[in-house]
Amino acid sequence: GQSLEQPSEVTAVEGAIVQINCTYQTSGFYGLSWYQQHDGGAPTFLSYNALDGLEETGRFSSFLSRSDSYGYLLLQELQMKDSASYFCAVLADRGSTLGRLYFGRGTQLTVWP
Amino acid sequence: KAGVTQTPRYLIKTRGQQVTLSCSPISGHRSVSWYQQTPGQGLQFLFEYFSETQRNKGNFPGRFSGRQFSNSRSEMNVSTLELGDSALYLCASSSGGQGPIVEQYFGPGTRLTVT
């Protein structure tokens, strides 16, 4: 089956840099996604990595190492509004060619002033 | 473009009852997926529909079912509700197609409480 591990909580101060790690075990791996969810809100898509390396989108970057079954989300210049839950999700198939998302349990990021 | 809408937003039901939740995807999106979110388990995949056909299914009992209409709107039904079904039910839409779904757009969810 699939399993994903990510820290349950991370705290940091405004302006700092934080890295949220995600390790996974899966078969039929397509790629790794990250979603952000504010309290009471809907998850929103942040990034997707299918190939090894770093993808940068503004203050957020996402990294993938397929050989290590590992990825991380890097948030720079933290702002209070970044306080949210961050989910890594593996896109993988289980016999279907279409694949589906398997989510981790989420990391609660708290940014302090 | 309007986002994904879900109705109702909140629902309180009694154990043993059944419930139907509705989801309208983003215009032009043909794939709708359903997830159950609980504090302990995170987001658990229920099923995915594309062009009125169920393409993928998670590991939930048969009490959980769904369907999709020709306009891509989707409903999910839970029969014989149990206390453990209390959760946030999220619907996500994507443009779909032949390949894996990379980016999904989530609705605000329906908060179901079973008493």
Side-chain angles (χ1 to χ4, degrees):
Chain A
Q2 276 73 12
S3 71
L4 294 94
E5 295 290 333
Q6 56 180 125
S8 58
E9 293 181 31
V10 173
T11 59
V13 296
E14 269 189 306
I17 300 173
V18 73
Q19 179 174 311
I20 300 175
N21 299 319
C22 175
T23 58
Y24 59 87
Q25 289 186 328
T26 187
S27 57
F29 178 82
Y30 285 123
L32 186 70
S33 293
W34 289 91
Y35 284 78
Q36 177 194 61
Q37 185 180 30
H38 286 99
D39 277 349
T44 56
F45 174 83
L46 291 176
S47 66
Y48 175 73
N49 294 64
L51 303 175
D52 287 357
L54 190 69
E55 299 273 349
E56 298 181 58
T57 309
R59 295 187 297 112
F60 293 4
S61 302
S62 56
F63 172 83
L64 175 65
S65 168
R66 294 175 70 112
S67 60
D68 294 325
S69 297
Y70 163 75
Y72 65 73
L73 180 69
L74 189 73
L75 299 88
Q76 303 182 72
E77 301 172 19
L78 281 173
Q79 302 175 8
M80 297 288 288
K81 67 179 182 179
D82 297 329
S83 292
S85 290
Y86 293 84
F87 295 87
C88 62
V90 164
L91 182 62
D93 71 35
R94 289 181 65 186
S96 162
T97 58
L98 299 169
R100 47 155 287 208
L101 287 173
Y102 295 84
F103 282 83
R105 298 190 177 189
T107 298
Q108 178 65 50
L109 170 64
T110 302
V111 180
W112 298 100
Chain B
K1 201 183 257 190
V4 178
T5 59
Q6 292 187 245
T7 56
R9 293 293 313 278
Y10 302 91
L11 205 50
I12 300 175
K13 289 286 189 178
T14 302
R15 194 169 44 180
Q17 289 185 315
Q18 71 146 20
V19 67
T20 299
L21 313 181
S22 180
C23 170
S24 292
I26 291 172
S27 177
H29 283 190
R30 296 165 64 190
S31 168
V32 173
S33 298
W34 288 89
Y35 295 85
Q36 180 193 66
Q37 185 174 26
T38 56
Q41 296 298 319
L43 281 88
Q44 302 284 308
F45 174 79
L46 283 154
F47 28 65
E48 185 239 343
Y49 287 87
F50 179 81
S51 293
E52 302 179 67
T53 300
Q54 187 182 86
R55 290 201 301 190
N56 235 324
K57 188 177 186 307
N59 297 323
F60 276 81
R63 300 185 297 107
F64 292 81
S65 63
R67 60 177 175 168
Q68 186 180 36
F69 302 95
S70 58
N71 62 358
S72 294
R73 190 177 70 85
S74 177
E75 288 181 348
M76 68 162 280
N77 184 77
V78 188
S79 62
T80 319
L81 284 166
E82 300 177 358
L83 296 178
D85 297 332
S86 294
L88 180 68
Y89 289 88
L90 292 161
C91 160
S93 81
S94 64
S95 54
Q98 296 302 311
I101 297 169
V102 172
E103 182 172 353
Q104 293 191 320
Y105 298 83
F106 283 82
T110 294
R111 172 75 62 187
L112 172 65
T113 301
V114 182
T115 61

